[in-house]
Amino acid sequence: MAVYGFLLHDPKFSKSRGNSEDKVVIWACRFYNAEGNDKYSCARAKAVAMRVHQEYSVSKCELHLEDKKGLLKQSGATSSEEQGIFRLKKGKLFSKPKSVIWIQKSEALCTLICEEEANILLAASQLKLLMNAIIEQFGAESFRSAKWINQRPEELYMLLDRLLPCGHLQFLTETDIKKEVSELAASLQKGMK
């Protein structure tokens, strides 16, 4: 299993009522193993999302930044899409080190948490294709707010199940993604009849 978890979250912090502390807003979250789904799953998701927010904030200030591990963090050529990669150390929330790949598009951050030995380039490519599949399934405005997830959460999780079955990375092309999305749409239509 190469993918440990998936997060879809807001790139902006929200303030909770009566509290000046910044709060991360997670729209969707899925972990693919027993450790990810234990009693610390919410804390784990928030910790990863907070770190992604920190990395995203740095990427807005600098186009290229090399971290201590020598990985190059890149920003997209346009301001509408940025991406980054970083590592998480073994600790209280993770029994083994993890690699985290994130992409910011429109008003959403999409994050894959992968096992340390995962193919990072394949994961980054898969994450971009997954984001394109979400746009194809839910429309061009789908990354503007969490409203579409609240209305159709099962569709997002069905899409994740098709594109990341049991958390396994697959080599998929744009054509494969379009086929999976159209098959999902057909099965949803069949289920509505």
Side-chain angles (χ1 to χ4, degrees):
M1 182 178 316
V3 176
Y4 181 85
F6 168 82
L7 296 174
L8 183 61
H9 45 110
D10 196 322
K12 297 179 235 97
F13 287 113
S14 71
K15 302 269 188 207
S16 54
R17 289 184 191 172
N19 192 350
S20 62
E21 191 174 310
D22 288 334
K23 201 168 113 179
V24 66
V25 178
I26 299 172
W27 297 346
C29 175
R30 164 142 314 160
F31 289 105
Y32 291 99
N33 65 13
E35 180 191 56
N37 290 304
D38 66 7
K39 64 182 180 181
Y40 299 111
S41 63
C42 288
R44 191 175 287 113
K46 287 178 185 177
V48 171
M50 289 294 286
R51 174 74 189 273
V52 169
H53 278 274
Q54 291 170 349
E55 297 287 325
Y56 172 66
S57 297
V58 168
S59 75
K60 289 183 69 107
C61 298
E62 298 181 29
L63 291 179
H64 296 283
L65 178 69
E66 197 166 304
D67 73 6
K68 294 175 184 167
K69 299 280 185 197
L71 291 173
L72 182 66
K73 185 188 322 160
Q74 303 170 349
S75 290
T78 65
S79 61
S80 65
E81 185 176 305
E82 297 182 46
Q83 61 186 17
I85 300 169
F86 62 89
R87 296 210 188 273
L88 293 171
K89 295 179 182 178
K90 175 182 170 180
K92 179 182 174 188
L93 296 176
F94 299 99
S95 63
K96 295 179 182 175
K98 305 289 182 231
S99 297
V100 177
I101 300 100
W102 60 268
I103 297 176
Q104 176 270 330
K105 189 170 200 158
S106 187
E107 298 192 27
L109 280 163
C110 232
T111 304
L112 277 183
I113 307 161
C114 298
E115 300 298 339
E116 187 177 33
E117 66 277 355
N119 181 333
I120 298 300
L121 293 176
L122 178 61
S125 171
Q126 185 76 14
L127 186 57
K128 280 185 180 182
L129 290 172
L130 178 59
M131 291 182 80
N132 291 340
I134 290 171
I135 289 170
E136 190 168 323
Q137 179 69 26
F138 296 97
E141 299 296 314
S142 57
F143 288 130
R144 299 237 180 258
S145 75
K147 190 167 110 176
W148 62 272
I149 293 176
N150 295 334
Q151 293 172 346
R152 300 161 35 196
E154 68 285 343
E155 284 183 52
L156 175 66
Y157 292 112
M158 289 172 74
L159 188 63
L160 285 173
D161 289 343
R162 286 182 164 278
L163 302 180
L164 294 170
C166 299
H168 292 281
L169 288 173
Q170 306 178 85
F171 179 76
L172 297 172
T173 63
E174 289 274 345
T175 306
D176 296 328
I177 296 290
K178 288 181 187 210
K179 179 182 174 207
E180 290 293 335
V181 169
S182 66
E183 286 177 4
L184 175 61
S187 69
L188 287 169
Q189 286 297 327
K190 199 183 290 185
M192 290 180 165
K193 290 181 180 179

